[in-house]
Amino acid sequence: MQFKLLSVAALAATASAQTMNLTATLMNNSMLHNLTSFASLLPSSLQMASNITILAPSDAAFSALLNSTAGMALANNTAAIQAILTYHILNGTYYASNVTSNATFVPTMLSDMTYSNVTGGQRVEAITEGMNVTFFSGLLQNATVVQANINFTGGVIHVIDTVLTVPQTIAATAEAAGLSAIAGALTDTKLVDAVDNMMDVTVFVPNNAAFQAIGSAVGNLSMAQLSSILEYHVINGTVAYSTDLMSGMMIKTMNGNNVTVSMMNGSYFVNSAKVVTPDVLVANGVVHVIDGVLNPNATTLTANPTTTMPAFAGATSGSDVPFTSGIPTPTSALGGGAAAGASSAAMASSSSAGAWAPMRTGAVGAAALFGAGAAFMNV
């Protein structure tokens, strides 16, 4: 498909003798013609910006998105395009050599509360995997640097092989990731809006097997009891990425009780539940997937590095995963990209991948555009 070329003159700045300005740098790179087409939708502040890093999707990356059904819908959504582009601009200059095998969560310029509710701007995860510099975005979508360290007067550009995915709401992420039990439980307790609209949150999300393991217990819970249990998984006011978690840390939850973080054999635990998929970025913070449902009435349970015992004494496994009635079944795998792989976050299998999704706030309508599934839907 073809898009009308947009002027990039607004981005022009005085070039130094050693380094070209952003406009000239983009136009002189044969891999970035599509990005140049959208340059007038980049933030106007880039005219005078300095100390920034631009993750520039290659022409092939843009084509893969724009030639999909999802991309055709995106073409007419200027606000969504602007959100995506802004998410590709990092605050700070990061050369490839600055990225290490230890994950770093780097703030971006995406701070529009329609799409993000994280203090200081939505993050991307930067990490090296083997010889590759990789950035992970929403739904664990990964983008690998294919051309690094292109200097311009305002900072540095890295060409990446996949368009980043703007993190979605917690509820949308749960559905897309195949975490249908928590998605259904949030819906049943009418906590979706409360959790999605919070600012700066960390959520420990039990996987479906964790809910099924206590199947005999959940059927007897009142909505008030279930709400209390779910709130015990939410940390309000703190975005705790895996790099922020420390053994012995005690964190107060939305429920009012504390959870305790521990580390054993290289894995993190929350009370007795193991973190199996850390650092799933969401619109208002981060999700860590765990293999057990936490019990606010059993806060002193400790980790067992070999076996996760249910936190609900006497509970037995159900024949089906609870709370999943009416929850859509995802059609693809969590994570992905042109060079699909696993970050420190991708240690367990779930489902679905994505391209962008605005946050559900007030009167703003929400939509989800899935890059891998090429589906455009209202939510």
Side-chain angles (χ1 to χ4, degrees):
M1 62 192 298
Q2 295 182 343
F3 288 83
K4 182 179 179 180
L5 292 180
L6 301 172
S7 171
V8 297
L11 297 174
T14 302
S16 68
Q18 296 79 23
T19 308
M20 292 185 290
N21 61 38
L22 178 58
T23 301
T25 303
L26 293 177
M27 296 186 71
N28 278 277
N29 191 299
S30 62
M31 300 178 71
L32 300 178
H33 293 152
N34 273 332
L35 179 59
T36 304
S37 300
F38 290 109
S40 68
L41 296 179
L42 289 166
S44 58
S45 59
L46 287 188
Q47 296 180 49
M48 301 297 293
S50 62
N51 191 30
I52 62 172
T53 300
I54 297 177
L55 303 179
S58 66
D59 285 348
F62 264 117
S63 293
L65 175 63
L66 298 178
N67 290 328
S68 67
T69 302
M72 293 176 189
L74 180 64
N76 298 315
N77 192 329
T78 300
I81 296 172
Q82 289 175 325
I84 293 173
L85 295 177
T86 305
Y87 187 48
H88 287 73
I89 305 169
L90 312 185
N91 286 310
T93 303
Y94 297 89
Y95 289 94
S97 59
N98 298 135
V99 181
T100 71
S101 58
N102 297 316
T104 302
F105 295 88
V106 183
T108 72
M109 291 185 68
L110 180 59
S111 57
D112 182 341
M113 291 182 65
T114 303
Y115 299 90
S116 173
N117 209 357
V118 177
T119 298
Q122 184 57 267
R123 268 50 167 189
V124 294
E125 178 185 356
I127 192 168
T128 57
E129 296 185 324
M131 299 297 293
N132 294 324
V133 175
T134 303
F135 292 89
F136 285 86
S137 55
L139 295 171
L140 297 183
Q141 183 85 5
N142 71 77
T144 300
V145 174
V146 293
Q147 186 179 0
N149 302 334
I150 304 168
N151 290 312
F152 73 103
T153 51
V156 65
I157 297 169
H158 303 300
V159 180
I160 56 176
D161 64 0
T162 304
V163 178
L164 299 179
T165 298
V166 175
Q168 302 182 34
T169 64
I170 292 168
T173 297
E175 288 188 13
L179 300 166
S180 50
I182 192 70
L186 288 171
T187 299
D188 290 350
T189 55
K190 296 180 173 57
L191 286 174
V192 170
D193 287 342
V195 172
D196 280 352
N197 292 327
M198 289 178 177
M199 185 173 189
D200 295 335
V201 299
T202 303
V203 185
F204 299 106
V205 172
N207 58 22
N208 282 2
F211 276 102
Q212 187 170 2
I214 61 166
S216 66
V218 296
N220 298 320
L221 295 173
S222 67
M223 284 298 104
Q225 290 171 324
L226 179 58
S227 294
S228 180
I229 291 169
L230 296 179
E231 290 169 357
Y232 187 53
H233 293 73
V234 179
I235 313 299
N236 189 16
T238 300
V239 182
Y241 304 103
S242 61
T243 51
D244 300 312
L245 299 177
M246 296 181 292
S247 192
M249 176 184 288
M250 299 182 70
I251 316 173
K252 181 173 286 189
T253 70
M254 183 179 173
N255 164 277
N257 293 332
N258 290 335
V259 293
T260 302
V261 176
S262 58
M263 186 173 184
M264 294 185 182
N265 298 340
S267 296
Y268 282 103
F269 293 80
V270 183
N271 292 355
S272 61
K274 182 179 180 179
V275 177
V276 293
T277 307
D279 300 321
V280 181
L281 303 178
V282 291
N284 54 345
V286 67
V287 159
H288 304 294
V289 182
I290 56 178
D291 68 356
V293 180
L294 306 178
N295 186 347
N297 296 316
T299 62
T300 60
L301 289 178
T302 56
N304 183 326
T306 58
T307 304
T308 298
M309 299 299 295
F312 294 79
T316 58
S317 180
S319 58
D320 299 306
V321 179
F323 311 122
T324 57
S325 177
I327 302 300
T329 300
T331 58
S332 54
L334 182 71
S343 72
S344 60
M347 298 190 298
S349 61
S350 291
S351 294
S352 201
W356 72 275
M359 190 177 169
R360 213 179 337 225
T361 58
V364 178
L369 177 58
F370 294 97
F376 184 74
M377 66 184 73
N378 291 323
V379 295

